[in-house]
Amino acid sequence: MNRGGRTISRQSWREELHATMALAWPLMLANLTMQLIQATDVVLLGWLGPKELAAAALALSLSFGMILFALGVLTASSPMMASALGERSNAVRDVRRTFRQSLWAAVIMTIPTMIVLWNAEPVILALGQEPELARLAGIFLRGYMWVIPSWMLFQVMRNFLSAMERPGWVLVISATGIPLNALVCWSLIFGHLGMPRLGIIGAGLGSSIVWAAMALALAAVILSDRQFRRFQLFGRFWRSDWPRFRAMFRLGGPIGLTMGFEGGVFSAAAYLMGLFGASSVAAHQIALQIAATTFMVPLALGQATTVRVGLAYGRRDRDGVALAGWTAFGLSIAFMAVMATIMYAFPRELITLFLADTAENASVIALGVSFLMIAALFQIVDGAQVVGAGMLRGLHDTRVPMVYALFGYWAIGLGVGVALAFALDWRGIGIWMGLAAGLGMVAVLMLWRWSRRDRLGLLLVSS
């Protein structure tokens, strides 16, 4: 295949496909298992009733944008460590510096996030939601907010393992967390196995306990593995390194805002759904859980291509950059096309995995089916935009993609959604159509920028 006058052999494509999948498949499974931990909470709360499910949806939506912003900032450590490993000069020292400042960033972002979640009930009331839903959401978050510090630490360590191209331990620990979370939350929500019956707060507390255990387990791996010990990642982590800290936020701040804009628009959608009643919120949360589960695979491919592009960028390998980017993109499009087909063919069956098919739940199920049909339409562009962003991050290009995200998600996505929902009275369907339009716009913009990377000077590497 020819790229810019240079021919890339089929063997090179096969080798890149193998390397990408070797890195991506543990990340895919780890992402899926982490998403399934939250999906388990949704299922269990659905057993409590639609009102509890709707309250948890509002609670999770309040935290979603802040969590994605934090994830984006911490994501900067992945290409920074990958580039250092690609250059090889002073790699151990540079990786250690980046890891330690990631810990600093995690602590700094944890504090305001937890303050907001502690005061969730008045915030949710101020956003125009039903008082009872706001009260239940606040109760849930008093247990769930303690997930944040453990989750942040887990992400920092996960980025290190991804840059080292050894994400297998993330998969093992995350996979163990699924049944553990189901057991602990089930026991605390319904009062089984000698535990008190805590109801909705039990789901939050259970997830907090499980995430703490997962973070401690991953830390134990890093401290005990011979390959990782040489980095001395946790040694003197309290020492300041302001140049590296600022570099992390210069790169990670735009990534965080990009991801926060996406998460924020889905959070805004949940609160707009609240204006149409608890059934709309519950249906939105179920459809979103299904769409978020399929999204975990292209998200992992985006994470993998950030590392693969970053390694090629660090080696000054122009063809390697192209190979890494387009390989992950092709895989993402293929996977999401299959997911779109499944969603379109079996929407009701998917919705009733989360909610019993009873007369009491009929309105929620009907709305969920309509939302999921629209989610099927935007699967391919959702995969394209997240991998496109990952490709650009490997080149340390984050600021312009941030602007694209703001425009696409909020001006187009939310603007179209509000117009359709209220001006044309499409209600929840209009909100989801707006989300589809926003994702499509961001995908087009990301790929346009990637295709012009040479002309824009993003590849400051030799041929």
Side-chain angles (χ1 to χ4, degrees):
M1 185 172 183
N2 186 275
R3 288 278 178 203
R6 297 177 300 279
T7 301
I8 300 176
S9 68
R10 290 185 177 181
Q11 179 63 24
S12 296
W13 285 104
R14 284 193 292 269
E15 290 173 357
E16 182 58 38
L17 176 62
H18 175 77
T20 298
M21 287 305 300
L23 176 59
W25 77 263
L27 292 173
M28 290 177 191
L29 295 176
N31 284 347
L32 285 167
T33 54
M34 287 189 286
Q35 173 61 27
L36 288 171
I37 288 174
Q38 189 179 96
T40 301
D41 291 345
V42 172
V43 171
L44 292 172
L45 289 169
W47 294 355
L48 275 178
K51 182 175 289 186
E52 287 80 4
L53 177 57
L58 293 176
L60 292 170
S61 295
L62 183 64
S63 65
F64 193 43
M66 293 183 289
I67 286 174
L68 279 185
F69 171 76
L71 177 61
V73 172
L74 298 177
T75 294
S77 65
S78 186
M80 290 173 71
M81 288 187 282
S83 296
L85 292 167
E87 292 173 358
R88 298 187 182 276
S89 176
N90 295 319
V92 170
R93 178 175 178 272
D94 279 346
V95 168
R96 181 169 58 244
R97 290 178 65 196
T98 299
F99 181 89
R100 289 175 179 173
Q101 295 314 296
S102 296
L103 292 177
W104 276 52
V107 171
I108 288 171
M109 292 185 293
T110 293
I111 294 169
T113 302
M114 293 186 72
I115 290 173
V116 172
L117 298 185
W118 183 263
N119 296 283
E121 183 176 350
V123 173
I124 294 173
L125 278 173
L127 292 171
Q129 304 304 304
E130 297 177 15
E132 179 63 10
L133 292 183
R135 185 185 70 82
L136 290 172
I139 292 172
F140 172 78
L141 284 172
R142 288 295 173 95
Y144 185 81
M145 62 182 286
W146 304 104
V147 163
I148 304 301
S150 301
W151 180 87
M152 293 263 200
L153 175 60
F154 192 92
Q155 300 312 313
V156 171
M157 295 185 290
R158 171 184 164 162
N159 288 339
F160 167 73
L161 295 175
S162 297
M164 293 291 293
E165 298 189 272
R166 284 193 55 190
W169 275 111
V170 178
L171 166 63
V172 171
I173 293 170
S174 299
T176 304
I178 295 175
L180 180 61
N181 185 73
L183 179 65
V184 173
C185 290
W186 174 72
S187 300
L188 290 174
I189 292 171
F190 300 105
H192 298 301
L193 301 179
M195 298 292 182
R197 182 184 175 92
L198 299 179
I200 192 169
I201 196 174
L205 285 173
S207 293
S208 295
I209 292 168
V210 171
W211 273 108
M214 290 167 59
L216 289 172
L218 197 55
V221 169
I222 289 176
L223 290 171
S224 61
D225 188 283
R226 181 179 301 176
Q227 183 184 1
F228 304 147
R229 282 204 310 266
R230 66 191 177 98
F231 288 91
Q232 299 179 337
L233 294 176
F234 293 102
R236 299 183 180 180
F237 66 87
W238 57 85
R239 293 182 62 180
S240 62
D241 185 352
W242 296 115
R244 184 54 55 96
F245 185 80
R246 287 191 293 269
M248 261 207 64
F249 269 88
R250 277 197 302 270
L251 180 62
I255 298 175
L257 289 171
T258 299
M259 298 180 72
F261 289 149
E262 180 177 6
V265 80
F266 277 93
S267 296
Y271 282 90
L272 289 171
M273 290 289 180
L275 302 178
F276 304 131
S279 294
S280 292
V281 181
H284 171 80
Q285 185 63 22
I286 294 172
L288 184 59
Q289 284 296 317
I290 296 168
T293 300
T294 65
F295 177 75
M296 292 300 108
V297 171
L299 176 61
L301 287 167
Q303 293 164 335
T305 199
T306 294
V307 173
R308 295 294 301 165
V309 169
L311 289 169
Y313 184 77
R315 294 192 307 266
R316 309 293 189 263
D317 181 359
R318 189 183 299 270
D319 287 345
V321 167
L323 276 168
W326 288 118
T327 298
F329 179 78
L331 289 169
S332 177
I333 294 301
F335 174 81
M336 293 301 262
V338 174
M339 293 301 101
T341 303
I342 292 172
M343 285 185 186
Y344 187 81
F346 306 105
R348 188 177 185 86
E349 290 79 0
L350 291 170
I351 295 295
T352 52
L353 290 174
F354 291 79
L355 206 60
D357 193 355
T358 63
E360 180 187 3
N361 297 327
S363 62
V364 177
I365 292 170
L367 286 168
V369 168
S370 65
F371 297 160
L372 199 60
M373 294 292 282
I374 300 169
L377 297 177
F378 67 60
Q379 288 296 286
I380 291 175
V381 293
D382 200 11
Q385 63 87 19
V386 71
V387 172
M391 291 150 66
L392 292 170
R393 285 169 196 155
L395 302 177
H396 294 206
D397 179 39
T398 60
R399 294 188 180 183
V400 173
M402 173 190 69
V403 176
Y404 290 166
L406 176 61
F407 173 73
Y409 297 135
W410 287 87
I412 302 299
L414 194 62
V416 170
V418 168
L420 294 176
F422 296 99
L424 297 184
D425 199 29
W426 288 15
R427 299 171 70 84
I429 291 175
I431 298 295
W432 274 76
M433 290 296 291
L435 294 175
L439 290 168
M441 176 59 70
V442 174
V444 169
L445 292 172
M446 294 292 188
L447 292 176
W448 176 78
R449 185 165 178 82
W450 169 260
S451 67
R452 300 178 73 246
R453 60 193 180 280
D454 274 298
R455 298 179 190 175
L456 296 171
L458 301 179
L459 281 176
L460 300 177
V461 299
S462 58
S463 301

